[in-house]
Amino acid sequence: RAIADPMVEKVTEVEHLPEAWSDDEFARIMRQARSMNGLTGSHSHRGKAGKSPACVFWPAFIGTVYDVAGRYSDVFHLPTTKFDGVAGVVRMQVDKQHFEKHFELSWETVADLRALQPFFNDRLFGDWQMSKRVLSTHYQRFILQPAGLSCDNPERRACQVFHKLRRTMLTNITIEHGIDEAQKYAGHSHQSVTRRYVDPTKLKATVSARSMPRPVTSGLRIRDAETG
């Protein structure tokens, strides 16, 4: 067992604020996904070999990850038996908890999954035999970058590019229904965990110094400072 050296200063890792996509950014992601050429399952540009058209696979996959606010690896390996195309729901394990939950999908995602159904096998998203890292790389290279978007610090883990979809959904739930509902939706045992997924810059009630009383001492009127 390694023993910590008391003479070596412990490095404290800064916990970055969670970031969520704006409505406009998410719309750009979906538009790019629908414009994809080729088939899924290839290392080549935009895919040239696979089982389903990229323009069908990607909207369904991204929409499902967003709708359930789930881990992309869990969504990617969902069995086809977990999807009810009539009711528009999917059953999956909630985060790291040992129970399943029914998620009502948006009808847009349901339509995208129905379009993908002819390519189903045992798994909802087909038999794309690729690693999670390659899946993340394709998402960044062929969807985010052409849409003019980047995702967090590129040095962070590959899963972070899909985590931003989770943060976007949980942030939106918090805005519309409060943090308690976001916690229930995610299946988190503690609200502190949920807060790691909520982008504080997107919340309506954000306290800043600009909303606090302050004497003007610089000789510059506030209106002049705002207009430059």
Side-chain angles (χ1 to χ4, degrees):
R1 183 179 178 182
I3 300 175
D5 187 341
M7 301 301 293
V8 176
E9 184 178 354
K10 184 179 179 180
V11 177
T12 302
E13 184 178 354
V14 177
E15 185 172 340
H16 298 276
L17 286 174
E19 295 181 6
W21 298 118
S22 67
D23 291 344
D24 174 69
E25 289 171 333
F26 187 57
R28 286 158 60 186
I29 290 172
M30 294 304 290
R31 283 196 297 268
Q32 178 60 29
R34 298 187 190 285
S35 70
M36 293 283 285
N37 298 320
L39 303 174
T40 59
S42 172
H43 289 276
S44 61
H45 179 63
R46 289 183 178 245
K48 295 298 180 183
K51 292 293 184 181
S52 60
C55 62
V56 176
F57 170 88
W58 281 107
F61 182 68
I62 294 170
T64 303
V65 172
Y66 171 77
D67 284 3
V68 303
R71 297 177 181 278
Y72 80 103
S73 56
D74 292 342
V75 172
F76 186 60
H77 292 101
L78 272 174
T80 56
T81 54
K82 300 294 185 181
F83 173 59
D84 184 339
V86 177
V89 300
V90 67
R91 291 184 294 114
M92 64 177 293
Q93 182 176 324
V94 177
D95 202 51
K96 296 181 180 179
Q97 306 300 320
H98 299 291
F99 62 88
E100 282 191 336
K101 178 179 176 179
H102 281 75
F103 290 93
E104 286 190 351
L105 304 174
S106 68
W107 289 114
E108 181 179 8
T109 299
V110 172
D112 290 333
L113 284 171
R114 287 173 180 168
L116 190 63
Q117 272 186 314
F119 308 97
F120 285 177
N121 53 16
D122 293 335
R123 293 195 327 203
L124 197 60
F125 294 99
D127 59 356
W128 190 6
Q129 301 298 324
M130 283 193 173
S131 67
K132 293 187 293 183
R133 180 168 294 277
V134 172
L135 184 69
S136 299
T137 299
H138 278 228
Y139 176 56
Q140 292 182 81
R141 183 178 300 173
F142 303 136
I143 294 181
L144 294 184
Q145 291 178 8
L149 300 170
S150 61
C151 192
D152 299 329
N153 188 328
E155 296 180 357
R156 299 177 71 177
R157 294 181 302 166
C159 68
Q160 293 298 326
V161 296
F162 285 108
H163 262 38
K164 196 163 184 176
L165 292 170
R166 299 182 70 192
R167 294 196 292 266
T168 303
M169 171 56 91
L170 294 178
T171 296
N172 287 337
I173 293 175
T174 300
I175 292 172
E176 297 297 328
H177 304 288
I179 188 70
D180 289 341
E181 289 301 318
Q183 179 186 351
K184 292 177 185 177
Y185 197 86
H188 293 151
S189 55
H190 300 286
Q191 197 174 100
S192 59
V193 178
T194 309
R195 291 190 183 280
R196 297 174 190 169
Y197 289 86
V198 177
D199 186 341
T201 67
K202 302 290 192 297
L203 303 183
K204 297 176 182 177
T206 301
V207 177
S208 73
R210 295 178 184 177
S211 62
M212 298 294 104
R214 185 184 185 90
V216 177
T217 59
S218 64
L220 180 67
R221 292 183 304 171
I222 294 177
R223 183 172 296 177
D224 291 339
E226 291 177 345
T227 59

